[in-house]
Amino acid sequence: MIRVDLPQKDMPRKWYNIQADMSEPLAPPIHPGTKEPVRLEDLQAIFPDELIKQEVSTERFIDIPEEILNIYKIWRPSPLMRAKKLEEFLQTPAKIYYKYEGVSPAGSHKPNTAVPQAYYNKKAGIKRLATETGAGQWGSALSLAGAYFGIEIMVYMVKVSYDQKPYRKFMIETWGGKVVPSPSPLTQIGRKMLEEDPNTNGSLGLAISEAVEDALSRKDTNYALGSVLNHVCLHQTIIGEEAIKQFQIINDYPDVVIGCVGGGSNFAGISFPYIREKMNGKKIDIIAVEPSACPTMTKGLYAYDYGDIAGLTPIIMMYTLGHKFMPPSIHAGGLRYHGMAPLVSYFAKKGLISARAYTQTEVFKAASDFAKTEGLIVAPESSHAVKAAIDEALKSKEEKNPKTILFNLSGHGYFDLVSYDKFNTGQLSDFHLAGEEIKKALEHLPLTNKN
Ligand SMILES: *Cc1c(COP(=O)(O)O)cnc(C)c1O
Protein backbone atom coordinates (compact mmCIF):
# COMPACT_ATOMS: atom_id res chain seq x y z
CA MET A 1 0.00 0.00 0.00
CA ILE A 2 1.29 3.45 -0.86
CA ARG A 3 -0.99 5.40 1.46
CA VAL A 4 -2.19 3.99 4.77
CA ASP A 5 -5.20 5.83 6.16
CA LEU A 6 -6.40 5.15 9.67
CA PRO A 7 -10.20 5.46 9.86
CA GLN A 8 -11.27 8.39 12.07
CA LYS A 9 -13.18 6.03 14.35
CA ASP A 10 -9.83 4.35 15.19
CA MET A 11 -8.00 7.57 15.93
CA PRO A 12 -6.13 7.36 19.27
CA ARG A 13 -8.11 9.01 22.07
CA LYS A 14 -5.21 9.36 24.50
CA TRP A 15 -1.83 11.06 24.49
CA TYR A 16 1.10 9.02 25.79
CA ASN A 17 2.94 10.52 28.76
CA ILE A 18 6.46 9.09 28.71
CA GLN A 19 7.13 10.50 32.18
CA ALA A 20 5.24 7.46 33.49
CA ASP A 21 7.97 5.18 32.13
CA MET A 22 11.11 6.87 33.40
CA SER A 23 13.29 5.20 36.01
CA GLU A 24 13.79 8.55 37.78
CA PRO A 25 12.01 11.91 37.48
CA LEU A 26 13.45 14.76 35.42
CA ALA A 27 15.78 17.14 37.26
CA PRO A 28 13.58 20.01 38.53
CA PRO A 29 13.46 23.30 36.61
CA ILE A 30 15.20 26.06 38.59
CA HIS A 31 13.90 29.62 39.02
CA PRO A 32 16.27 32.09 37.31
CA GLY A 33 16.02 34.59 40.18
CA THR A 34 15.93 32.54 43.37
CA LYS A 35 17.93 29.60 41.97
CA GLU A 36 15.45 27.36 43.82
CA PRO A 37 13.20 24.79 42.11
CA VAL A 38 10.36 26.52 40.26
CA ARG A 39 7.14 26.68 42.33
CA LEU A 40 3.66 25.98 41.07
CA GLU A 41 2.70 29.64 41.70
CA ASP A 42 5.44 30.81 39.33
CA LEU A 43 3.94 28.72 36.53
CA GLN A 44 0.36 29.70 37.37
CA ALA A 45 1.16 33.29 36.43
CA ILE A 46 1.42 32.31 32.76
CA PHE A 47 -0.02 28.76 32.28
CA PRO A 48 -3.45 27.24 33.06
CA ASP A 49 -3.63 24.55 35.76
CA GLU A 50 -4.53 21.76 33.34
CA LEU A 51 -1.31 22.29 31.33
CA ILE A 52 0.79 22.57 34.51
CA LYS A 53 -0.74 19.25 35.64
CA GLN A 54 0.26 17.65 32.33
CA GLU A 55 3.73 19.18 32.58
CA VAL A 56 4.46 17.24 35.79
CA SER A 57 2.07 14.28 35.39
CA THR A 58 3.24 10.67 35.74
CA GLU A 59 -0.03 9.18 34.48
CA ARG A 60 0.81 6.96 31.48
CA PHE A 61 -2.10 7.87 29.19
CA ILE A 62 -4.01 11.16 29.25
CA ASP A 63 -7.49 11.42 27.69
CA ILE A 64 -7.80 13.79 24.75
CA PRO A 65 -10.97 15.86 25.38
CA GLU A 66 -13.78 15.43 22.86
CA GLU A 67 -13.59 19.11 21.75
CA ILE A 68 -9.92 18.63 20.82
CA LEU A 69 -10.57 15.31 19.04
CA ASN A 70 -13.23 17.05 16.95
CA ILE A 71 -10.73 19.64 15.78
CA TYR A 72 -7.95 17.06 15.25
CA LYS A 73 -10.41 15.29 12.94
CA ILE A 74 -10.26 18.23 10.50
CA TRP A 75 -6.87 16.86 9.36
CA ARG A 76 -6.18 13.75 11.44
CA PRO A 77 -5.35 10.92 11.35
CA SER A 78 -2.50 12.09 9.15
CA PRO A 79 -1.54 9.63 6.40
CA LEU A 80 1.29 7.13 6.67
CA MET A 81 2.88 7.06 3.21
CA ARG A 82 5.25 4.59 1.60
CA ALA A 83 7.94 6.36 -0.45
CA LYS A 84 8.05 3.72 -3.21
CA LYS A 85 9.33 6.08 -5.89
CA LEU A 86 12.17 7.17 -3.64
CA GLU A 87 13.00 3.51 -2.86
CA GLU A 88 13.18 2.75 -6.59
CA PHE A 89 15.36 5.81 -7.21
CA LEU A 90 17.76 4.70 -4.46
CA GLN A 91 17.61 1.07 -5.68
CA THR A 92 17.32 -0.01 -2.09
CA PRO A 93 15.63 -3.15 -0.73
CA ALA A 94 14.65 -1.09 2.33
CA LYS A 95 11.09 0.14 2.81
CA ILE A 96 10.75 3.86 3.52
CA TYR A 97 7.60 5.18 5.21
CA TYR A 98 6.80 8.70 6.34
CA LYS A 99 4.11 10.18 8.53
CA TYR A 100 2.93 13.34 6.76
CA GLU A 101 2.11 16.19 9.17
CA GLY A 102 1.92 18.81 6.39
CA VAL A 103 -1.81 18.07 6.02
CA SER A 104 -2.75 20.38 8.94
CA PRO A 105 -4.19 23.80 7.97
CA ALA A 106 -0.98 25.50 9.15
CA GLY A 107 1.14 22.98 7.20
CA SER A 108 3.06 21.41 10.08
CA HIS A 109 2.74 19.31 13.25
CA LYS A 110 2.49 22.46 15.42
CA PRO A 111 -1.37 22.64 15.54
CA ASN A 112 -1.30 19.27 17.40
CA THR A 113 -0.26 21.23 20.50
CA ALA A 114 -1.59 24.70 19.59
CA VAL A 115 -5.17 23.34 19.68
CA PRO A 116 -4.99 21.77 23.17
CA GLN A 117 -3.10 24.79 24.52
CA ALA A 118 -5.82 27.17 23.28
CA TYR A 119 -8.51 24.80 24.57
CA TYR A 120 -7.19 24.50 28.16
CA ASN A 121 -6.58 28.25 28.35
CA LYS A 122 -10.09 28.97 27.12
CA LYS A 123 -11.50 26.60 29.73
CA ALA A 124 -9.52 28.43 32.42
CA GLY A 125 -11.21 31.69 31.41
CA ILE A 126 -8.21 33.16 29.59
CA LYS A 127 -9.15 35.58 26.79
CA ARG A 128 -5.79 36.21 25.22
CA LEU A 129 -2.52 34.30 24.57
CA ALA A 130 0.86 35.92 23.96
CA THR A 131 3.62 34.07 22.16
CA GLU A 132 6.76 34.52 20.10
CA THR A 133 7.56 33.20 16.66
CA GLY A 134 10.65 33.08 14.50
CA ALA A 135 9.78 32.36 10.88
CA GLY A 136 6.09 32.14 11.83
CA GLN A 137 5.29 28.39 11.97
CA TRP A 138 4.33 28.49 15.65
CA GLY A 139 2.67 31.91 15.50
CA SER A 140 0.47 30.78 12.62
CA ALA A 141 -0.43 27.46 14.31
CA LEU A 142 -1.47 29.25 17.51
CA SER A 143 -3.43 31.85 15.57
CA LEU A 144 -5.32 28.99 13.87
CA ALA A 145 -6.08 27.46 17.28
CA GLY A 146 -7.16 30.86 18.60
CA ALA A 147 -9.64 31.11 15.73
CA TYR A 148 -11.12 27.68 16.58
CA PHE A 149 -11.70 28.64 20.24
CA GLY A 150 -12.31 32.40 20.03
CA ILE A 151 -9.15 33.39 21.89
CA GLU A 152 -7.21 36.52 20.94
CA ILE A 153 -3.64 35.70 19.86
CA MET A 154 -0.77 38.16 20.21
CA VAL A 155 2.39 37.18 18.33
CA TYR A 156 5.78 38.82 18.78
CA MET A 157 7.56 37.94 15.55
CA VAL A 158 11.35 38.33 15.22
CA LYS A 159 11.75 41.54 13.22
CA VAL A 160 14.01 40.22 10.48
CA SER A 161 11.49 37.45 9.67
CA TYR A 162 8.57 39.87 9.94
CA ASP A 163 10.21 41.99 7.25
CA GLN A 164 11.60 39.22 5.04
CA LYS A 165 9.08 36.35 5.37
CA PRO A 166 5.63 37.93 5.21
CA TYR A 167 3.53 34.89 4.23
CA ARG A 168 3.07 33.38 7.67
CA LYS A 169 2.40 36.86 9.01
CA PHE A 170 -0.50 37.04 6.53
CA MET A 171 -1.71 33.63 7.76
CA ILE A 172 -1.65 34.83 11.38
CA GLU A 173 -3.75 37.86 10.42
CA THR A 174 -6.12 35.85 8.24
CA TRP A 175 -6.92 33.63 11.23
CA GLY A 176 -7.55 36.77 13.29
CA GLY A 177 -4.31 36.94 15.30
CA LYS A 178 -2.34 40.08 15.93
CA VAL A 179 1.34 40.15 14.99
CA VAL A 180 3.98 42.80 15.68
CA PRO A 181 7.69 42.88 14.87
CA SER A 182 9.89 42.21 17.90
CA PRO A 183 11.33 44.28 19.46
CA SER A 184 8.11 46.25 19.74
CA PRO A 185 7.21 49.46 21.60
CA LEU A 186 4.49 47.50 23.45
CA THR A 187 6.74 46.11 26.21
CA GLN A 188 9.37 47.53 28.53
CA ILE A 189 12.08 45.21 27.24
CA GLY A 190 11.07 45.99 23.65
CA ARG A 191 11.24 49.76 24.20
CA LYS A 192 14.63 49.42 25.87
CA MET A 193 16.04 47.42 22.95
CA LEU A 194 14.59 49.85 20.39
CA GLU A 195 16.18 52.75 22.24
CA GLU A 196 19.57 51.02 22.18
CA ASP A 197 19.32 50.11 18.50
CA PRO A 198 16.26 51.15 16.46
CA ASN A 199 17.44 49.00 13.53
CA THR A 200 17.97 45.76 15.43
CA ASN A 201 17.02 42.46 13.72
CA GLY A 202 15.53 41.09 16.91
CA SER A 203 15.99 37.51 18.11
CA LEU A 204 13.86 34.61 19.33
CA GLY A 205 15.19 35.09 22.88
CA LEU A 206 14.07 38.72 22.87
CA ALA A 207 10.64 37.85 21.41
CA ILE A 208 10.16 35.27 24.22
CA SER A 209 10.95 37.98 26.77
CA GLU A 210 8.35 40.31 25.23
CA ALA A 211 5.64 37.63 25.13
CA VAL A 212 6.29 36.60 28.75
CA GLU A 213 6.26 40.24 29.89
CA ASP A 214 2.95 40.73 28.05
CA ALA A 215 1.44 37.64 29.73
CA LEU A 216 2.68 38.66 33.19
CA SER A 217 1.31 42.18 32.83
CA ARG A 218 -2.32 41.22 32.08
CA LYS A 219 -4.70 39.08 34.07
CA ASP A 220 -6.65 37.98 30.98
CA THR A 221 -3.48 36.82 29.18
CA ASN A 222 -1.35 33.67 29.37
CA TYR A 223 1.77 32.58 27.53
CA ALA A 224 2.10 29.66 25.07
CA LEU A 225 5.25 27.86 23.90
CA GLY A 226 5.42 25.72 20.75
CA SER A 227 8.13 23.20 21.66
CA VAL A 228 10.53 21.98 24.40
CA LEU A 229 8.06 21.68 27.33
CA ASN A 230 6.78 18.30 28.55
CA HIS A 231 3.13 19.07 27.78
CA VAL A 232 4.03 20.06 24.21
CA CYS A 233 5.85 16.73 23.68
CA LEU A 234 2.83 14.97 25.21
CA HIS A 235 0.37 16.51 22.73
CA GLN A 236 2.55 15.53 19.78
CA THR A 237 2.48 11.81 20.72
CA ILE A 238 -0.74 11.46 18.70
CA ILE A 239 1.65 11.19 15.71
CA GLY A 240 3.45 8.06 16.93
CA GLU A 241 0.29 6.49 18.38
CA GLU A 242 -1.38 6.77 14.96
CA ALA A 243 1.72 5.37 13.24
CA ILE A 244 1.69 2.26 15.46
CA LYS A 245 -1.93 1.57 14.44
CA GLN A 246 -1.21 2.24 10.76
CA PHE A 247 1.66 -0.25 10.76
CA GLN A 248 -0.72 -2.83 12.28
CA ILE A 249 -3.05 -2.33 9.30
CA ILE A 250 -0.28 -3.25 6.87
CA ASN A 251 1.23 -5.86 9.16
CA ASP A 252 4.67 -4.26 9.16
CA TYR A 253 6.89 -2.71 11.86
CA PRO A 254 9.64 -0.08 11.68
CA ASP A 255 13.25 -1.01 12.51
CA VAL A 256 14.29 2.64 12.37
CA VAL A 257 12.33 5.73 13.52
CA ILE A 258 13.61 9.18 12.54
CA GLY A 259 12.68 12.80 13.26
CA CYS A 260 14.33 16.21 12.94
CA VAL A 261 14.97 18.16 16.14
CA GLY A 262 14.71 21.89 16.87
CA GLY A 263 13.21 22.07 20.34
CA GLY A 264 12.37 18.36 20.02
CA SER A 265 8.56 18.27 19.81
CA ASN A 266 7.86 16.59 16.46
CA PHE A 267 10.62 14.07 17.19
CA ALA A 268 9.01 13.42 20.60
CA GLY A 269 5.70 12.98 18.81
CA ILE A 270 6.84 10.26 16.44
CA SER A 271 9.35 8.60 18.78
CA PHE A 272 7.99 8.51 22.36
CA PRO A 273 5.43 5.77 21.64
CA TYR A 274 8.24 3.80 19.96
CA ILE A 275 10.58 4.41 22.92
CA ARG A 276 7.83 2.76 25.01
CA GLU A 277 7.79 -0.20 22.62
CA LYS A 278 11.60 -0.33 22.76
CA MET A 279 11.54 -0.35 26.58
CA ASN A 280 9.06 -3.25 26.26
CA GLY A 281 11.53 -5.29 24.22
CA LYS A 282 11.22 -4.23 20.56
CA LYS A 283 14.45 -3.65 18.67
CA ILE A 284 14.23 -0.16 17.13
CA ASP A 285 16.88 2.40 16.21
CA ILE A 286 15.53 5.84 17.08
CA ILE A 287 17.42 8.74 15.50
CA ALA A 288 17.17 12.50 16.14
CA VAL A 289 18.55 14.63 13.29
CA GLU A 290 19.88 18.14 13.71
CA PRO A 291 21.74 20.69 11.55
CA SER A 292 25.53 20.69 11.91
CA ALA A 293 25.24 24.48 12.20
CA CYS A 294 23.34 24.00 15.49
CA PRO A 295 24.54 20.62 16.83
CA THR A 296 22.85 20.63 20.23
CA MET A 297 22.78 16.88 20.81
CA THR A 298 25.91 15.84 18.93
CA LYS A 299 28.25 18.57 20.24
CA GLY A 300 26.46 20.11 23.25
CA LEU A 301 26.57 19.26 26.95
CA TYR A 302 23.87 17.68 29.15
CA ALA A 303 23.63 20.46 31.73
CA TYR A 304 21.41 23.02 33.43
CA ASP A 305 20.89 26.08 31.21
CA TYR A 306 18.47 28.91 30.47
CA GLY A 307 15.83 28.42 27.81
CA ASP A 308 16.43 31.88 26.35
CA ILE A 309 19.29 34.21 25.58
CA ALA A 310 18.32 36.86 28.15
CA GLY A 311 18.27 34.37 31.03
CA LEU A 312 14.63 35.09 31.98
CA THR A 313 13.21 31.56 31.67
CA PRO A 314 13.64 28.71 34.14
CA ILE A 315 16.97 26.90 34.11
CA ILE A 316 16.43 23.38 32.82
CA MET A 317 18.46 20.19 32.51
CA MET A 318 18.94 19.48 28.81
CA TYR A 319 21.40 19.16 25.98
CA THR A 320 22.59 22.70 25.26
CA LEU A 321 25.12 24.65 23.26
CA GLY A 322 24.93 27.44 25.85
CA HIS A 323 22.13 30.02 25.91
CA LYS A 324 24.49 32.62 24.42
CA PHE A 325 25.16 30.43 21.37
CA MET A 326 24.10 32.23 18.18
CA PRO A 327 23.65 29.66 15.41
CA PRO A 328 24.52 30.73 11.86
CA SER A 329 21.39 31.70 9.92
CA ILE A 330 20.60 28.47 8.08
CA HIS A 331 17.35 28.02 6.17
CA ALA A 332 15.91 25.48 8.61
CA GLY A 333 15.00 28.30 11.01
CA GLY A 334 12.92 25.99 13.20
CA LEU A 335 16.02 23.97 14.10
CA ARG A 336 18.09 26.95 15.31
CA TYR A 337 17.63 26.46 19.03
CA HIS A 338 20.51 26.20 21.51
CA GLY A 339 18.69 23.76 23.79
CA MET A 340 16.56 20.61 23.56
CA ALA A 341 13.38 19.30 25.22
CA PRO A 342 14.35 17.91 28.65
CA LEU A 343 12.49 14.65 27.89
CA VAL A 344 14.27 14.13 24.56
CA SER A 345 17.57 15.01 26.28
CA TYR A 346 16.91 12.49 29.05
CA PHE A 347 16.37 9.59 26.65
CA ALA A 348 19.45 10.56 24.63
CA LYS A 349 21.50 10.59 27.83
CA LYS A 350 20.09 7.13 28.71
CA GLY A 351 21.12 5.81 25.29
CA LEU A 352 17.60 4.92 24.07
CA ILE A 353 17.88 7.32 21.14
CA SER A 354 20.86 8.51 19.11
CA ALA A 355 21.58 11.78 17.34
CA ARG A 356 23.31 12.81 14.13
CA ALA A 357 23.93 16.09 12.30
CA TYR A 358 23.95 17.06 8.61
CA THR A 359 24.96 20.21 6.71
CA GLN A 360 22.36 22.26 4.88
CA THR A 361 23.60 21.44 1.37
CA GLU A 362 23.36 17.71 2.19
CA VAL A 363 19.79 18.01 3.44
CA PHE A 364 18.63 20.16 0.52
CA LYS A 365 20.07 17.59 -1.90
CA ALA A 366 18.00 14.93 -0.10
CA ALA A 367 14.89 17.15 -0.16
CA SER A 368 15.44 17.78 -3.86
CA ASP A 369 15.64 14.00 -4.58
CA PHE A 370 12.51 13.52 -2.48
CA ALA A 371 10.64 16.23 -4.41
CA LYS A 372 11.64 14.70 -7.76
CA THR A 373 10.55 11.19 -6.74
CA GLU A 374 7.67 11.61 -4.27
CA GLY A 375 6.53 15.05 -5.40
CA LEU A 376 6.23 16.70 -2.01
CA ILE A 377 8.39 19.73 -1.32
CA VAL A 378 9.29 19.38 2.35
CA ALA A 379 10.08 22.08 4.92
CA PRO A 380 13.83 22.71 5.28
CA GLU A 381 13.50 21.39 8.86
CA SER A 382 11.94 18.11 7.68
CA SER A 383 14.65 17.67 5.04
CA HIS A 384 17.00 16.62 7.85
CA ALA A 385 14.78 13.61 8.53
CA VAL A 386 14.58 12.87 4.78
CA LYS A 387 18.39 12.82 4.55
CA ALA A 388 18.72 10.41 7.49
CA ALA A 389 16.03 8.12 6.03
CA ILE A 390 17.87 8.05 2.68
CA ASP A 391 21.19 7.24 4.38
CA GLU A 392 19.58 4.41 6.36
CA ALA A 393 17.98 3.05 3.18
CA LEU A 394 21.31 3.11 1.33
CA LYS A 395 23.00 1.32 4.25
CA SER A 396 20.36 -1.39 3.89
CA LYS A 397 21.78 -2.39 0.50
CA GLU A 398 24.61 -4.15 2.34
CA GLU A 399 22.46 -5.68 5.06
CA LYS A 400 21.08 -9.24 5.14
CA ASN A 401 17.64 -8.11 6.34
CA PRO A 402 16.51 -4.92 4.59
CA LYS A 403 15.17 -2.34 7.01
CA THR A 404 11.73 -0.82 7.40
CA ILE A 405 12.29 2.88 7.97
CA LEU A 406 9.82 5.41 9.35
CA PHE A 407 10.43 9.16 9.44
CA ASN A 408 8.28 12.08 10.48
CA LEU A 409 7.66 14.60 7.71
CA SER A 410 6.97 17.52 10.03
CA GLY A 411 5.73 20.01 7.44
CA HIS A 412 5.59 21.16 3.84
CA GLY A 413 7.96 23.71 2.36
CA TYR A 414 5.65 25.82 0.23
CA PHE A 415 6.53 28.99 2.15
CA ASP A 416 10.25 28.19 2.00
CA LEU A 417 10.67 28.17 -1.75
CA VAL A 418 13.25 30.98 -1.62
CA SER A 419 15.62 28.57 0.12
CA TYR A 420 14.95 25.96 -2.60
CA ASP A 421 15.78 28.65 -5.17
CA LYS A 422 19.09 29.27 -3.35
CA PHE A 423 19.83 25.53 -3.50
CA ASN A 424 18.75 25.17 -7.14
CA THR A 425 20.97 28.07 -8.20
CA GLY A 426 24.00 26.93 -6.20
CA GLN A 427 23.90 29.80 -3.72
CA LEU A 428 23.57 27.68 -0.60
CA SER A 429 26.65 27.35 1.58
CA ASP A 430 27.63 25.35 4.66
CA PHE A 431 28.94 26.65 7.94
CA HIS A 432 31.84 25.05 9.66
CA LEU A 433 31.54 25.69 13.34
CA ALA A 434 34.83 25.90 15.12
CA GLY A 435 35.02 23.79 18.28
CA GLU A 436 36.23 27.00 19.93
CA GLU A 437 32.90 28.77 19.29
CA ILE A 438 30.96 26.01 21.01
CA LYS A 439 33.44 25.84 23.88
CA LYS A 440 33.09 29.57 24.41
CA ALA A 441 29.28 29.53 24.42
CA LEU A 442 29.36 26.70 26.97
CA GLU A 443 31.41 28.83 29.37
CA HIS A 444 28.25 30.74 30.33
CA LEU A 445 26.21 27.91 31.86
CA PRO A 446 24.38 28.89 35.05
CA LEU A 447 24.69 26.92 38.32
CA THR A 448 28.07 25.53 37.28
CA ASN A 449 30.45 27.91 39.05
CA LYS A 450 30.37 27.40 42.73
CA ASN A 451 30.80 31.01 43.90
C1 LIG B 1 8.92 24.18 14.20
C2 LIG B 1 9.23 23.11 13.25
C3 LIG B 1 10.22 22.12 13.53
C4 LIG B 1 11.09 22.13 14.74
O1 LIG B 1 10.46 22.09 15.98
P1 LIG B 1 10.40 20.80 16.89
O2 LIG B 1 9.81 21.29 18.16
O3 LIG B 1 11.80 20.29 17.08
O4 LIG B 1 9.55 19.80 16.22
C5 LIG B 1 10.39 21.10 12.60
N1 LIG B 1 9.68 21.05 11.45
C6 LIG B 1 8.75 21.99 11.16
C7 LIG B 1 8.00 21.87 9.88
C8 LIG B 1 8.49 23.04 12.04
O5 LIG B 1 7.55 23.96 11.75
Side-chain angles (χ1 to χ4, degrees), residues 61 71 120 282 320 328 381 394 404:
F61 290 99
I71 291 179
Y120 290 117
K282 290 276 192 209
T320 178
E381 290 83 2
L394 291 175
T404 296

Side-chain angles (χ1 to χ4, degrees), residues 187-200:
T187 63
Q188 261 176 26
I189 176 96
R191 286 191 291 275
K192 179 161 164 276
M193 299 310 283
L194 284 173
E195 221 165 83
E196 281 171 17
D197 177 8
N199 299 316
T200 175

Side-chain angles (χ1 to χ4, degrees), residues 57 85 87 97 166-167 178 285 431:
S57 169
K85 293 283 228 189
E87 292 168 16
Y97 292 91
Y167 291 105
K178 190 164 174 218
D285 273 339
F431 298 90

Side-chain angles (χ1 to χ4, degrees), residues 107-110 137 226-228 260-267 334-335 379 381-382 410-412:
S108 76
H109 65 289
K110 288 195 171 76
Q137 286 106 327
S227 186
V228 180
C260 67
V261 283
S265 74
N266 89 88
F267 172 77
L335 305 188
E381 290 83 2
S382 317
S410 52
H412 66 63

Side-chain angles (χ1 to χ4, degrees), residues 188-318:
Q188 261 176 26
I189 176 96
R191 286 191 291 275
K192 179 161 164 276
M193 299 310 283
L194 284 173
E195 221 165 83
E196 281 171 17
D197 177 8
N199 299 316
T200 175
N201 277 336
S203 71
L204 203 56
L206 177 55
I208 294 178
S209 308
E210 286 204 89
V212 172
E213 185 188 318
D214 181 319
L216 284 171
S217 71
R218 290 178 55 158
K219 253 194 118 75
D220 67 348
T221 302
N222 266 347
Y223 170 72
L225 189 66
S227 186
V228 180
L229 299 178
N230 303 343
H231 67 263
V232 178
C233 293
L234 171 79
H235 301 153
Q236 295 296 350
T237 58
I238 181 95
I239 303 173
E241 293 298 343
E242 282 178 6
I244 287 176
K245 288 186 160 199
Q246 285 161 314
F247 272 104
Q248 280 167 357
I249 293 176
I250 51 174
N251 204 12
D252 204 346
Y253 200 88
D255 305 294
V256 187
V257 174
I258 296 167
C260 67
V261 283
S265 74
N266 89 88
F267 172 77
I270 191 100
S271 71
F272 284 4
Y274 283 106
I275 293 179
R276 176 186 71 225
E277 301 254 301
K278 187 168 176 169
M279 290 188 290
N280 288 333
K282 290 276 192 209
K283 207 181 152 296
I284 317 169
D285 273 339
I286 304 177
I287 307 168
V289 193
E290 60 187 10
S292 39
C294 192
T296 312
M297 294 175 81
T298 51
K299 297 265 176 70
L301 287 181
Y302 188 59
Y304 264 120
D305 198 6
Y306 294 106
D308 68 326
I309 297 174
L312 298 172
T313 69
I315 302 165
I316 50 183
M317 187 58 119
M318 61 181 174

Side-chain angles (χ1 to χ4, degrees), residues 349-424:
K349 188 68 189 166
K350 290 274 171 194
L352 277 142
I353 61 181
S354 64
R356 69 173 69 158
Y358 291 116
T359 66
Q360 77 173 348
T361 50
E362 287 177 300
V363 300
F364 269 94
K365 169 71 171 65
S368 171
D369 289 341
F370 191 79
K372 291 185 177 88
T373 51
E374 294 297 314
L376 280 175
I377 298 175
V378 309
E381 290 83 2
S382 317
S383 68
H384 290 73
V386 174
K387 168 66 177 160
I390 289 178
D391 277 7
E392 289 300 301
L394 291 175
K395 241 175 37 192
S396 241
K397 289 189 187 187
E398 280 110 56
E399 289 163 342
K400 260 219 312 279
N401 298 313
K403 295 248 161 72
T404 296
I405 299 160
L406 166 65
F407 74 90
N408 194 41
L409 206 172
S410 52
H412 66 63
Y414 299 124
F415 300 117
D416 305 282
L417 291 173
V418 171
S419 28
Y420 276 89
D421 178 52
K422 293 247 160 68
F423 174 76
N424 294 338

Side-chain angles (χ1 to χ4, degrees), residues 4-282:
V4 187
D5 282 309
L6 186 67
Q8 282 198 325
K9 66 172 173 49
D10 298 334
M11 196 168 96
R13 303 180 70 87
K14 291 174 197 294
W15 293 302
Y16 167 54
N17 179 19
I18 202 164
Q19 292 189 84
D21 291 322
M22 291 166 49
S23 45
E24 74 247 38
L26 286 175
I30 302 297
H31 191 283
T34 64
K35 303 284 194 294
E36 297 290 330
V38 170
R39 299 165 314 163
L40 227 51
E41 300 96 277
D42 303 326
L43 297 174
Q44 281 168 332
I46 53 173
F47 295 113
D49 286 348
E50 228 18 76
L51 289 177
I52 297 173
K53 254 206 256 165
Q54 292 179 358
E55 187 65 19
V56 297
S57 169
T58 51
E59 205 180 317
R60 185 164 288 113
F61 290 99
I62 295 179
D63 284 332
I64 306 175
E66 203 64 38
E67 293 93 326
I68 296 174
L69 285 171
N70 284 338
I71 291 179
Y72 275 177
K73 282 177 184 167
I74 296 173
W75 70 92
R76 309 207 68 86
S78 70
L80 175 72
M81 308 288 294
R82 171 125 181 235
K84 267 249 106 110
K85 293 283 228 189
L86 178 64
E87 292 168 16
E88 284 160 20
F89 169 76
L90 299 172
Q91 298 184 316
T92 174
K95 286 182 269 184
I96 306 174
Y97 292 91
Y98 60 94
K99 187 77 172 139
Y100 185 46
E101 290 295 310
V103 291
S104 82
S108 76
H109 65 289
K110 288 195 171 76
N112 296 335
T113 184
V115 167
Q117 289 193 48
Y119 168 79
Y120 290 117
N121 274 290
K122 172 86 178 183
K123 254 185 61 174
I126 288 296
K127 303 258 177 314
R128 191 170 164 274
L129 283 173
T131 198
E132 71 287 332
T133 198
Q137 286 106 327
W138 171 242
S140 56
L142 194 66
S143 184
L144 166 74
Y148 286 140
F149 290 107
I151 291 192
E152 204 183 310
I153 304 295
M154 176 70 199
V155 183
Y156 293 88
M157 183 168 185
V158 178
K159 182 154 166 267
V160 61
S161 304
Y162 184 94
D163 293 336
Q164 293 175 2
K165 299 186 172 169
Y167 291 105
R168 288 202 181 86
K169 177 177 95 188
F170 302 151
M171 292 168 79
I172 293 171
E173 290 169 337
T174 302
W175 282 317
K178 190 164 174 218
V179 52
V180 293
S182 165
S184 79
L186 304 178
T187 63
Q188 261 176 26
I189 176 96
R191 286 191 291 275
K192 179 161 164 276
M193 299 310 283
L194 284 173
E195 221 165 83
E196 281 171 17
D197 177 8
N199 299 316
T200 175
N201 277 336
S203 71
L204 203 56
L206 177 55
I208 294 178
S209 308
E210 286 204 89
V212 172
E213 185 188 318
D214 181 319
L216 284 171
S217 71
R218 290 178 55 158
K219 253 194 118 75
D220 67 348
T221 302
N222 266 347
Y223 170 72
L225 189 66
S227 186
V228 180
L229 299 178
N230 303 343
H231 67 263
V232 178
C233 293
L234 171 79
H235 301 153
Q236 295 296 350
T237 58
I238 181 95
I239 303 173
E241 293 298 343
E242 282 178 6
I244 287 176
K245 288 186 160 199
Q246 285 161 314
F247 272 104
Q248 280 167 357
I249 293 176
I250 51 174
N251 204 12
D252 204 346
Y253 200 88
D255 305 294
V256 187
V257 174
I258 296 167
C260 67
V261 283
S265 74
N266 89 88
F267 172 77
I270 191 100
S271 71
F272 284 4
Y274 283 106
I275 293 179
R276 176 186 71 225
E277 301 254 301
K278 187 168 176 169
M279 290 188 290
N280 288 333
K282 290 276 192 209

